[in-house]
Amino acid sequence: MSDLFSGVGDNNPQHILLPGKGERCELYYQPDFLTAAEADQLFTQLHKSTPWQQSSIRIAGRTVPIPRLNAWYGDKGAHYGYSGTRLPLNDWSVELMQLRQRVEGELNKRFNSALINLYRNGSDSVAWHSDDEAELGDDPVIASLSLGAKRRFQMRRKSGGQRYELTLESGALLVMTGATQRFWQHQVPKESGVEKARINITFRKIERLNSAQLV
């Protein structure tokens, strides 16, 4: 087992090696990283206090709003963007700093930023993509915590063929590591019938901090 997982607890963790040709694309999934009470409390706090915004991205030469709300938190200089947009950098809240420290202690891994998404209901989604922006460096570790409504999380190999799917429940921690971002994409598809909101927090490490906002 990778050193990344040397500090994990005993709450039903799963270590998953995605199919491939020796690339070591790995997932770590702990469905009850937070208790139900902890997850509910954190969801309520973040839902009320986060400065949500609806970013716009460039697709095929057009600027379109994303089908969800988001916010970016990080250490000084931890600027980040994707698909032609840059996200305003927010200082860590007390709740997010405590959660970050807990995730870092669990995984024995340092993070300096977090992207928070709010899926207001099943009509909100995120399309196929990889977290492979230059700011994240080569083969980044992405630690993703889910709160609120259960949602499907789908993965597909970039070269085609293989797929993998999980249902992410409130309080679950999913970690993508190894060469996963190089060889796989993931998405949260629209789901009819889902009326409740979901918050997703993805902890990341920006490799090159910049004291000025990039343009």
Side-chain angles (χ1 to χ4, degrees):
M1 184 174 290
S2 168
D3 288 344
L4 174 66
F5 307 130
S6 61
V8 302
D10 297 322
N11 297 327
N12 304 314
Q14 302 172 33
H15 185 217
I16 303 158
L17 182 63
L18 295 170
K21 300 177 180 178
E23 303 98 353
R24 299 298 298 181
C25 301
E26 299 175 86
L27 304 179
Y28 163 74
Y29 180 57
Q30 188 166 324
D32 49 4
F33 178 74
L34 298 182
T35 67
E38 288 174 329
D40 289 346
Q41 181 180 12
L42 184 58
F43 176 92
T44 299
Q45 291 171 331
L46 293 179
H47 193 269
K48 290 180 178 179
S49 64
T50 302
W52 301 111
Q53 66 172 40
Q54 188 170 21
S55 300
S56 295
I57 59 175
R58 296 282 296 174
I59 299 178
R62 297 187 303 119
T63 300
V64 297
I66 62 173
R68 62 193 178 279
L69 306 182
N70 61 13
W72 177 252
Y73 288 82
D75 295 349
K76 183 178 180 181
H79 298 296
Y80 177 72
Y82 60 91
S83 300
T85 189
R86 284 280 166 180
L87 302 176
L89 177 61
N90 296 291
D91 293 332
W92 295 100
S93 65
V94 173
E95 296 84 8
L96 284 175
M97 181 62 75
Q98 291 174 343
L99 180 63
R100 165 187 164 181
Q101 292 170 346
R102 184 166 172 177
V103 171
E104 288 179 337
E106 186 82 350
L107 301 177
N108 192 28
K109 176 68 180 179
R110 176 84 168 86
F111 299 101
N112 60 16
S113 52
L115 177 64
I116 308 182
N117 284 299
L118 172 62
Y119 300 84
R120 294 160 290 187
N121 51 47
S123 295
D124 279 357
S125 62
V126 62
W128 289 112
H129 70 286
S130 298
D131 295 329
D132 56 0
E133 291 81 14
E135 298 97 318
L136 301 177
D138 297 330
D139 295 340
V141 174
I142 308 294
S144 174
L145 183 77
S146 296
L147 304 169
K150 293 190 298 185
R151 293 294 296 266
R152 296 163 65 196
F153 181 84
Q154 299 175 329
M155 304 187 70
R156 69 180 183 186
R157 192 170 172 83
K158 292 181 181 180
S159 59
Q162 294 121 332
R163 293 201 175 213
Y164 189 81
E165 180 171 322
L166 284 167
T167 297
L168 299 179
E169 307 215 18
S170 189
L173 178 67
L174 174 68
V175 184
M176 295 180 284
T177 186
T180 302
Q181 304 306 319
R182 273 195 288 151
F183 293 96
W184 290 76
Q185 293 179 315
H186 53 274
Q187 72 164 356
V188 176
K190 297 181 185 299
E191 287 189 69
S192 61
V194 176
E195 298 180 355
K196 295 183 179 181
R198 171 186 182 251
I199 291 175
N200 174 240
I201 308 158
T202 52
F203 290 99
R204 303 144 186 257
K205 184 180 180 183
I206 301 297
E207 292 294 339
R208 290 179 292 275
L209 300 183
N210 190 334
S211 60
Q213 173 69 54
L214 299 179
V215 295

